[in-house]
Amino acid sequence: KVMDINFRHNYKISKNITDSTPYFQLSQKLSYHRTLQEIGLRNSTSYFKDYNYDSITTLDSLKLERLSHRFQLDRVSKKMKISLGVAQNYYEYVGRSPFEVHLENIAFTEVNWRGKNLTGRSYAEFMVSDGKYESFEFKNKVTYRNLTLKVFQKFEVNANLMTDLPELYFNNYIGNHFEWSKVNQRNTITQIDVAAINVFSGTRVKLNFESQSNAVIFDTNSLPTQTNISLLGLSIDKRFNFKKWMYLTTNIHVQDLISESNIEIPNFVTYAKLHFKGRLIKKVLQFDAGLSVLYYTNFTPRAYNASLDQFYIQSNQQVGNYPIIGFFAEFYIKKNFSFFTTITHLNSGLFKPVFGKNSLATTEYPLQDRAFKFGMKWRLFD
């Protein structure tokens, strides 16, 4: 169970505020976050009698609470906003044992700017805890947009460099089946991604890279450990318009992961959606309906440990190389009301053994059988 409560407000301290005159304002944000995890024994039923279930579920529990306060001074002008501020995060971590309290003090600055074709954001923060350095963040995003260009009209670049100490849960835990007490090393994370977008044809090409020096994973014994991870991926999104009302939306993702540990991900993932969009009943009722297909290649996933609510490394079973077909239909009346129906895993049990086999979602856990869902949405605004 996760609960988030946030409150934010601004107070302008300049007397004369116009579009051409910069002004100052004070900003404040208060937030509360709680994560509550309770794991109890789940009895098998007739519905799940043919499924494997984890027999080591316990009454272990976990609660993490965070209270945050951010206070900043902003200088706001027509094309730029500069912020300087301080923040504090107060954590309480409760497992079976022990109880821990953690206090973080943060100094940060942020710059948002925009020009004729360029917009950008830079954010930097420095964090200390218990009187010593804990981590820092330096995040940057730049967007260039020029509708006169032919191939791509929009470009986005993200470059982030940060460090992070693993959360308290990975330091200490005592449960019915697992126990650990260790000092984790600081994780250094580098992220870079570049995207080129054709806003007219719906084409997007994105190249992303991420490297972590001490990422936390759970090993084959379901104990936390740290390892180096590097990920490189290429994504291509494309929208085809065959008729005025017929569309094909595709996404192709190629990726590879390098790590000291035996971690695998699917090297090829694709998602395609053939759908029909238009208006019915004197053009008052809009609709969007069609078929979707998700496919990814074979890989060895991590297995699920219900006692810890974590995934751990295993090498005995593979998943993938199986299409997951679905049907969807959504109807809109004006902007406020819509109703929908979906059929998930449409090919479950059909055309065996090629498409109908019930493949695994992850180790020992089959994909959900075919399911029919329907509902409505009512948006309460004018």
Side-chain angles (χ1 to χ4, degrees):
K1 299 178 182 179
V2 178
M3 180 172 65
D4 281 293
I5 302 174
N6 296 282
F7 171 76
R8 181 171 183 169
H9 68 97
N10 300 325
Y11 174 73
K12 297 179 175 62
I13 58 179
S14 297
K15 294 183 178 180
N16 299 319
I17 300 175
T18 65
D19 291 339
S20 58
T21 304
Y23 64 90
F24 290 90
Q25 69 179 16
L26 296 174
S27 301
Q28 183 175 226
K29 181 179 180 181
L30 296 170
S31 60
Y32 172 78
H33 171 87
R34 185 184 74 172
T35 301
L36 179 63
Q37 172 185 309
E38 295 180 337
I39 301 177
L41 179 63
R42 304 295 192 265
N43 293 322
S44 175
T45 66
S46 59
Y47 181 80
F48 290 106
K49 64 182 180 180
D50 295 327
Y51 288 75
N52 294 319
Y53 68 95
D54 201 317
S55 61
I56 63 170
T57 53
T58 69
L59 297 179
D60 297 345
S61 63
L62 166 70
K63 184 172 73 171
L64 178 68
E65 292 184 292
R66 182 191 70 219
L67 183 63
S68 300
H69 178 225
R70 296 174 73 90
F71 184 80
Q72 67 190 60
L73 174 66
D74 306 320
R75 182 185 185 273
V76 184
S77 62
K78 186 176 181 180
K79 295 184 177 181
M80 183 175 293
K81 177 182 176 182
I82 303 175
S83 305
L84 293 172
V86 294
Q88 278 192 325
N89 296 326
Y90 174 80
Y91 289 89
E92 286 187 356
Y93 164 68
V94 184
R96 299 275 292 188
S97 175
F99 173 84
E100 288 192 34
V101 173
H102 187 63
L103 181 65
E104 299 172 342
N105 299 288
I106 303 170
F108 64 90
T109 181
E110 182 177 355
V111 179
N112 291 274
W113 54 272
R114 60 185 176 90
K116 182 179 180 181
N117 295 318
L118 280 171
T119 59
R121 175 185 181 269
S122 292
Y123 175 84
E125 76 170 35
F126 184 82
M127 182 186 299
V128 295
S129 178
D130 299 325
K132 58 184 178 180
Y133 157 70
E134 181 172 301
S135 64
F136 76 89
E137 288 186 5
F138 185 46
K139 298 181 177 180
N140 302 274
K141 180 179 181 179
V142 177
T143 302
Y144 176 77
R145 184 183 179 93
N146 188 344
L147 297 180
T148 63
L149 299 178
K150 293 183 178 181
V151 181
F152 296 107
Q153 296 79 39
K154 185 177 179 181
F155 300 87
E156 296 178 348
V157 178
N158 288 275
N160 305 322
L161 177 62
M162 65 196 83
T163 60
D164 179 49
L165 275 178
E167 62 181 78
L168 300 172
Y169 171 67
F170 300 116
N171 294 335
N172 294 288
Y173 180 82
I174 298 177
N176 290 356
H177 297 278
F178 297 93
E179 177 180 344
W180 60 78
S181 178
K182 58 182 300 184
V183 177
N184 289 294
Q185 296 179 332
R186 186 177 289 107
N187 187 18
T188 301
I189 305 170
T190 303
Q191 299 171 330
I192 300 174
D193 63 75
V194 180
I197 304 163
N198 187 310
V199 298
F200 303 110
S201 66
T203 303
R204 178 187 177 97
V205 180
K206 182 177 180 181
L207 180 66
N208 68 285
F209 170 79
E210 180 170 338
S211 176
Q212 298 192 31
S213 63
N214 287 292
V216 177
I217 62 170
F218 283 78
D219 61 19
T220 54
N221 296 316
S222 294
L223 296 176
T225 184
Q226 292 183 288
T227 185
N228 295 333
I229 293 178
S230 294
L231 174 67
L232 181 64
L234 172 66
S235 297
I236 301 176
D237 298 277
K238 176 64 178 176
R239 184 183 70 243
F240 299 93
N241 187 2
F242 298 112
K243 298 289 184 179
K244 186 178 180 180
W245 43 268
M246 183 177 180
Y247 301 86
L248 175 63
T249 304
T250 62
N251 170 265
I252 297 174
H253 188 69
V254 181
Q255 59 187 2
D256 195 17
L257 185 146
I258 301 174
S259 174
E260 297 174 349
S261 301
N262 187 24
I263 305 175
E264 290 188 13
I265 57 175
N267 294 121
F268 178 81
V269 181
T270 183
Y271 176 79
K273 183 172 69 171
L274 179 64
H275 57 122
F276 304 86
K277 298 176 64 175
R279 293 177 179 269
L280 299 170
I281 311 178
K282 296 182 180 181
K283 297 185 178 181
V284 175
L285 180 66
Q286 301 182 57
F287 71 93
D288 185 4
L291 294 172
S292 64
V293 180
L294 171 65
Y295 172 83
Y296 48 87
T297 53
N298 276 336
F299 74 106
T300 304
R302 290 176 293 175
Y304 179 64
N305 186 325
S307 179
L308 297 173
D309 193 24
Q310 297 288 342
F311 286 87
Y312 66 95
I313 293 176
Q314 62 88 29
S315 58
N316 299 321
Q317 196 170 52
Q318 285 193 332
V319 303
N321 193 27
Y322 173 78
I324 305 171
I325 303 173
F327 168 80
F328 65 94
E330 187 162 7
F331 301 87
Y332 310 87
I333 301 177
K334 296 183 178 181
K335 296 181 179 180
N336 299 65
F337 184 79
S338 67
F339 54 96
F340 65 90
T341 180
T342 62
I343 303 177
T344 59
H345 200 180
L346 181 63
N347 54 310
S348 175
L350 300 178
F351 306 111
K352 294 181 178 181
V354 180
F355 296 113
K357 60 183 180 181
N358 286 318
S359 188
L360 297 176
T362 189
T363 308
E364 302 294 344
Y365 285 83
L367 288 166
Q368 183 182 19
D369 292 337
R370 187 188 311 108
F372 175 76
K373 304 176 183 179
F374 64 93
M376 66 179 184
K377 301 176 185 178
W378 187 8
R379 300 171 179 86
L380 301 177
F381 58 81
D382 294 333

